[in-house]
Amino acid sequence: MRVLLRGGKLITMNPKGDCFNGDILVEDGLIKKIAKKITKPANAKIVNCQDTFVIPGLIQAHTHLCQALFRGEADDLTLLNWLKKKIWPMEAAHTKASLKASAQIGLLEMQKLGSTSILDMGTVHHTNILFETARASGMRYWGGKCLMDRKSQSGPLWQTTQDSILETEKLIAEWHKANDQVHYVISPRFAVSCTEKLMIECREIHKQHKLLFHTHASENKGEIELVKKLTGSNNIAYFGKLNLLGPNTVLVHAVHPKKSEVDLVKKTKTKLVHCPSANLKLGSGFAPTEEYRKHNITVGIGSDGAPCNNTMDPFMEMRLAALMQKPLCGSTAMPAKSAFSMATINGAKVLGADKEIGSLEVGKKADIAIVNRSHPSVATVEDPYSALVYSCSGRDIEHVMINGHFVVFNKESLMFDEDEVLAVAKKEKQKLLKRI
Ligand SMILES: [Zn+2]
């Protein structure tokens, strides 16, 4: 299958940061050629990209598909109340059917808003459903079963350490690299809900299978105090003590690190994910991402779960990531290009996949989003990073390609029956709310 993307403004995010008007030839799922003008090869479908930005598919490095149905059901709360009173009971009320409906509407939303890869934290049960639904959607998916074995801090989602590990091992065997686009990730929820024994078991499994380790850390001051009470350490320092930090570890949030913890993250090349909307909505605080940037710490970006955002628009996250640093560090902090990097090449680095995705370069996977420039908010803006970070939104996404296949074309999903997904999601949400 060949596609020629003709005549867009290419924002490559390659090491030189090239941006120019040109063509991209996609063949067999890969970017075959990039040039100012490419002669149409035989059998190529031509897609006119005049008046668009052609950008690397956006990478959401932290999501919870399982929570998509809970949107609007848990507003205006602090983190621990939000989790214990609302999110955990709703996650525990999922059936296979409601979890599938949640994953479908979440994937549909994210693809329509330009995301081509996600790092997703599952819930405790029915993890197979998330993998099956993600695989069917064409999304490039990193995910795993959420682990919660500390009985006093897991509510209705508690599971024994042994069951948590046995199920994880079964899921790795079934799903890790089940195809080119599906990756298993070890996913203990956070230090509050997980025992030290479980964390150590997770460390062994993630090292043995060379998997990513994905967890929340230092999101909120109340959480950090609780971790200190439970473990005797600060949150990130605790992971350091357990030898859980390293280049394959992804810590989400890192809003309130101690100076020594920033040094530890830097020294161990641990990856971080910034979720600006969630940090604002839950009142958690301002992650020091400008400081991370100055230390060359790799930071990706994520919308987090739908009930703490409440939209999965990566453009909104990029905009907030740039804006939130300016009152703290001055208006030159976190320039637009750096915020755009978080959702592209740096997101790919978080996933350990920057040789394959995150930029438009020959030989990389053809994960590409095409952004319409005709909206009055955008039409006159020449600087692409300014346009993409400060003016565009998911509204402007025109086409989305993953692995060389369009999943969204002319703003419509090619993977889902949109009306059906919405109807089932509404029905399953009502049924779920009655089960709580
Ligand atoms: Zn989260």
Side-chain angles (χ1 to χ4, degrees):
M1 179 176 159
R2 286 173 170 165
V3 177
L4 182 60
L5 303 174
R6 174 146 273 169
K9 177 113 181 184
L10 312 183
I11 316 306
T12 66
M13 298 309 283
N14 69 12
K16 285 199 247 163
D18 289 331
C19 297
F20 57 94
N21 289 313
D23 300 346
I24 297 183
L25 178 65
V26 171
E27 204 174 292
D28 299 328
L30 300 175
I31 296 174
K32 185 89 176 167
K33 197 170 177 184
I34 302 180
K36 286 195 171 149
K37 187 85 191 165
I38 298 174
T39 310
K40 179 185 179 293
N43 306 325
K45 173 187 165 88
I46 292 193
V47 176
N48 179 7
C49 297
Q50 288 287 332
D51 217 20
T52 69
F53 294 116
V54 179
I55 64 173
L58 298 173
I59 296 169
Q60 292 259 20
H62 183 63
T63 64
H64 297 257
L65 286 177
C66 65
Q67 295 174 8
L69 285 193
F70 316 157
R71 189 188 323 251
E73 297 300 323
D75 294 336
D76 313 322
L77 293 165
T78 58
L79 175 70
L80 295 178
N81 276 336
W82 179 83
L83 285 170
K84 291 178 180 179
K85 292 189 175 158
K86 295 285 186 177
I87 300 303
W88 294 349
M90 288 193 280
E91 282 192 23
H94 261 313
T95 59
K96 287 182 181 174
S98 65
L99 186 59
K100 183 175 177 183
S102 190
Q104 283 191 323
I105 197 167
L107 288 158
L108 172 63
E109 179 189 13
M110 284 194 268
Q111 288 182 349
K112 289 190 79 165
L113 298 174
S115 298
T116 55
S117 290
I118 64 172
L119 172 52
D120 186 57
M121 182 165 286
T123 181
V124 173
H125 304 292
H126 314 309
T127 311
N128 278 317
I129 297 288
L130 294 173
F131 276 94
E132 283 164 14
T133 313
R135 182 168 66 178
S137 77
M139 184 67 94
R140 204 175 291 286
Y141 184 74
W142 278 258
K145 166 188 167 59
C146 177
L147 305 173
M148 300 172 75
D149 76 325
R150 195 193 295 277
K151 197 161 192 179
S152 62
Q153 301 291 338
S154 298
L157 291 172
W158 175 78
Q159 195 176 38
T160 66
T161 316
Q162 195 188 22
D163 286 350
S164 306
I165 294 300
L166 284 176
E167 215 182 301
T168 296
E169 282 177 333
K170 240 169 94 180
L171 287 161
I172 294 169
E174 190 166 357
W175 287 106
H176 186 53
K177 300 199 171 165
N179 73 17
D180 189 35
Q181 293 178 227
V182 172
H183 313 259
Y184 197 86
V185 177
I186 303 294
S187 312
R189 187 160 215 135
F190 64 157
V192 170
S193 294
C194 301
T195 63
E196 190 166 314
K197 184 170 186 289
L198 177 74
M199 286 294 186
I200 290 168
E201 296 253 16
C202 284
R203 178 187 70 205
E204 296 311 308
I205 298 174
H206 111 95
K207 292 201 167 156
Q208 181 198 341
H209 294 279
K210 297 188 173 64
L211 305 176
L212 286 185
F213 175 92
H214 174 210
T215 193
H216 301 92
S218 291
E219 177 173 1
N220 161 292
K221 286 185 179 159
E223 169 215 11
I224 292 168
E225 269 171 40
L226 189 51
V227 172
K228 199 155 192 180
K229 207 170 111 192
L230 293 166
T231 71
S233 300
N234 277 309
N235 204 163
I236 296 172
Y238 171 63
F239 289 129
K241 214 168 73 182
L242 297 185
N243 199 18
L244 272 163
L245 301 179
N248 294 325
T249 290
V250 182
L251 301 183
V252 180
H253 298 304
V255 175
H256 302 289
K258 299 271 182 225
K259 163 95 183 58
S260 57
E261 292 180 309
V262 176
D263 294 340
L264 200 53
V265 166
K266 184 180 176 183
K267 197 175 97 192
T268 55
K269 298 188 166 61
T270 298
K271 309 300 196 305
L272 302 180
V273 180
H274 182 35
C275 302
S277 290
N279 295 161
L280 289 173
K281 186 159 183 271
L282 293 167
S284 300
F286 296 84
T289 53
E290 179 68 3
E291 191 185 342
Y292 295 146
R293 191 172 78 87
K294 288 189 171 149
H295 280 94
N296 284 324
I297 291 169
T298 303
V299 183
I301 207 164
S303 292
D304 210 340
C308 64
N309 191 310
N310 294 2
T311 168
M312 308 301 284
D313 185 343
F315 292 91
M316 170 126 47
E317 301 311 307
M318 290 190 278
R319 175 180 160 87
L320 284 175
L323 296 185
M324 278 167 70
Q325 295 305 302
K326 297 179 191 298
L328 302 174
C329 308
S331 54
T332 57
M334 195 55 74
K337 187 178 176 187
S338 298
F340 190 64
S341 302
M342 284 186 180
T344 52
I345 190 66
N346 286 358
K349 286 178 186 167
V350 167
L351 298 172
D354 51 306
K355 289 193 169 54
E356 298 195 311
I357 56 173
S359 61
L360 303 177
E361 294 181 77
V362 171
K364 281 200 170 183
K365 306 282 187 193
D367 288 8
I368 301 171
I370 294 153
V371 186
N372 193 312
R373 297 174 66 178
S374 64
H375 194 277
S377 301
V378 190
T380 59
V381 186
E382 283 305 320
D383 181 298
Y385 303 113
S386 175
L388 290 161
V389 171
Y390 293 129
S391 303
C392 288
S393 73
R395 155 204 78 204
D396 301 311
I397 290 290
E398 198 66 31
H399 316 302
V400 179
M401 174 183 270
I402 305 177
N403 221 30
H405 296 277
F406 283 109
V407 295
V408 172
F409 199 79
N410 290 337
K411 299 189 182 290
E412 287 186 5
S413 176
L414 301 186
M415 306 307 289
F416 293 103
D417 177 334
E418 297 190 36
D419 293 341
E420 171 82 8
V421 167
L422 302 192
V424 171
K426 284 180 193 169
K427 196 178 82 191
E428 287 298 334
K429 178 179 171 178
Q430 290 312 316
K431 282 161 67 179
L432 181 138
L433 291 176
K434 286 192 189 121
R435 290 195 293 271
I436 296 166

